[in-house]
Each structure stands twice: as structure tokens, then as C-alpha cells.
Amino acid sequence: MLLSSRPRLVLATAATAAAAALTLTSCTSREETPAAPSSGGGPAASAQSAAPAADGCTLAKTGYPKVDLKTAVVGFSQSEKEANPFRIAETQSIRDEAAKLGIGKLLVTNAQSDLNRQISDIKSLLDRGAQLLVVAPLNSDGLQPALDAAKAKKVPVVTVDRKVTSQPCGDYLTFIGSNFVEQGKRAAQAMAKATGGTGKVVILLGSSGNNVTTDRTQGFKDELAKTPGLSVVAEQTGEFDRSKGQSVMEQLVQSHPDITAVYAENDEMGIGAVNALKTAGKSPGKDVKVVSIDGTRNAVQLIVDGSYNAVIESNPRFGPLAFQTLQKFENGEPIPASIVITDDQYDETNAAQKVGNSYK
């Protein structure tokens, strides 16, 4: 998972002028809004591995009607408010690829980190005629009512970023995302390298109720156990939020003034931790090593500036792979239950050269 560059996936030839003229409609909840400007170019997410195709889900197995993407209404349900760079880049990738491919109509909703709202959003997309759905789940559990509604209308659902606990090729088509356990392991390896194998580590956990937090924690702890000189002295949730991460870090640095390393399960919390450490008179990146997961421009720039040590990428640019997967399904090809994407990595050896690949 250390590929530094990945080819952009394309479903078909470049959209013709006529296709480009098709209406691309987007909205936040139920209000129409203009598309946001591009969040910066980096490698699109591409498949690293997938289950054997013979075991995959097909159009014939589901009995769903065949849909032409060029004339289809596609719905995208974003789970979180777009104050987080990951979410901004994720949504923009969907918008950009839909425009590039000349998709008939794209409808976009944002649940603003409210599970009940996301359920309502998905049902609303179905009511508005969505024939295909891409969903970024807020939590691994809780979306079953919305998935049931999609199944009742025979609308395939591709989930991205967070895996749901429902059944693939039944409740939803497939999950596209990173190997989060592997991300945690790579973060622990980067931490061992940055610290020289000794130190006291605090963990800023992501939000509860989703597989991202669980897997990134498991992977980190399992791998860290191989370096006996490193020990976890505290862990507390910062809910994937910068301000909360900063607040938690302010408390932890007071209760554990001798900490020498921070593992943040996303960049926003890591940046919040840097702010807290500086306020406490510490030197992040030097006397307190900082490693996080995401790949945002601000975090990677902090490596360049010397206040951070490593970032394991979690690529948010799902657009090409999501639409390619939907096209394959409509073509009758088997789709695996999960598709693992490629993720890069940044540290002191390459951050300056690769900062342009990070997302804003």
C-alpha cells in the first residue's frame, strides 16, 4: 500500500460535447447549491485488491433493472458536514467524476453528522428518482432502514469510506475503502521509526460506532506491541474533530506531561494536538512525535515545517472507482463484497516532494 502514484480510473472515453451538456445537478439536503471548486489534484483512489470475481454480486443475482449511467439519476449521500478536508475532497471527487463522465443527473445530500438525517436523505434521494446510490455512511450501524428502502426499489448502493454491518449483495452492493487495520499498523511502524522505538504514546481516538476507529486502533496497538519500548499511556476520543482533538490533548498533556508521542486517528485531531502541544510549551515533531492518518494538505505541510512526523494517507477520491464499479455492475460483471483501495504515506523523506498530492 505504498504506491506513490495511481492512474485515474476511467469508465469510458472522454465525455463528448453532447454528454458534457447534460445537466449535472447537486444539492445539500433538499436545497440546490452550485458545485464547489475543485479541492486540488492528487491521485484518484484505485483498487489495490478485491475478492475473487467468481464470488461477486451481479445484476442477474440481484434481479435489479439495467440502468444506463449516461441517462441515470445518481444520488450521493454525504454523512458529515464539509468542514473536514477529507469530506470536502470526497464529495468533490464524486461531483468531478460525474461531470467528467456525463452522468445524467447527480443529486447530493449532506446529513451534517446526523444519522437520522442521513436515513431521511437517502429515502429522499430515492423519492426524487435516484436509480443508483453512492453512500458515505456516518456509522457502521443504523442505516438499515435506508438500505431497506433502496432494496425495495431495486436501487444498488455502493458504500464508500465506512463499512456497514449489513449484507453485501443484499442490503448493499459493495464497500469501497481503505484497509483501516493496515493503516493503523503503518502508523505504528511510522511511530516506531520517528521515536527510535522508545516513548510514551497517547492515542486520539476517532468517533465511536464505526469500523474506522475500531480498525485503526486495533492495527496500531497490534503493531505497536512489536516495539516493547513504546507504550500507550492514555487514549481518549476526539471524534475526528480538530477542536475536540485540541481540547482532549490539552487535558492529556496536563495529566501526562511526560508523553513523547501522539497517534491521532485522523489529521484534524492531529493538527489540534499540535496546537495544544505548542500552547503547553512542547515542540511537536521534535520532543513529542506526531503521527496521524488522512493526508490533508495542512498535516503534510506540518511535516515539511518540522512540526509533524508522518501521515498515512486515507485516499478520499472515490469518484472514479465508485462510478467504475457501478458501470461494471450494470455491464453484468461480478462485483466483490469489498474493494480495498491504495493509500500513500508521507514522512520527512518525501513530504516536500509529495505535498501537491495531498488534499485541501
Side-chain angles (χ1 to χ4, degrees), residues 98-273:
K100 177 181 177 182
L101 296 173
I103 298 301
K105 180 182 288 187
L106 178 70
L107 305 173
V108 179
T109 62
N110 191 305
Q112 301 293 315
S113 302
D114 184 323
L115 179 61
N116 289 329
R117 183 168 176 176
Q118 185 165 39
I119 293 171
S120 296
D121 283 348
I122 293 170
K123 290 181 177 179
S124 172
L125 290 169
L126 293 167
D127 290 342
R128 294 163 66 194
Q131 299 164 282
L132 305 164
L133 286 174
V134 180
V135 175
L138 180 62
N139 295 324
S140 295
D141 297 310
L143 278 183
Q144 195 60 47
L147 297 177
D148 288 344
K151 185 177 181 179
K153 291 195 173 186
K154 296 187 176 182
V155 172
V157 178
V158 169
T159 63
V160 297
D161 176 40
R162 289 177 183 168
K163 183 178 290 186
V164 294
T165 53
S166 304
Q167 291 299 312
C169 198
D171 300 316
Y172 68 101
L173 174 59
T174 187
F175 162 74
I176 303 173
S178 299
N179 183 328
F180 303 117
V181 172
E182 183 66 19
Q183 288 178 342
K185 289 182 177 180
R186 293 170 63 198
Q189 293 166 358
M191 183 67 77
K193 179 181 178 181
T195 60
T198 60
K200 297 182 178 180
V201 185
V202 298
I203 301 177
L204 295 181
L205 302 166
S207 55
S208 59
N210 68 76
N211 70 307
V212 180
T213 297
T214 302
D215 289 355
R216 286 178 180 173
T217 303
Q218 176 192 331
F220 183 80
K221 288 183 174 180
D222 288 352
E223 188 68 22
L224 203 73
K226 299 176 183 179
T227 308
L230 288 171
S231 60
V232 176
V233 297
E235 55 186 87
Q236 189 171 333
T237 181
E239 299 183 15
F240 290 130
D241 181 79
R242 184 183 301 194
S243 62
K244 291 179 182 177
Q246 181 170 340
S247 177
V248 168
M249 193 68 238
E250 288 169 351
Q251 299 170 22
L252 291 176
V253 78
Q254 290 181 8
S255 57
H256 299 277
D258 57 345
I259 61 170
T260 58
V262 176
Y263 165 51
E265 293 186 338
N266 82 334
D267 288 355
E268 286 294 284
M269 293 189 297
I271 294 169

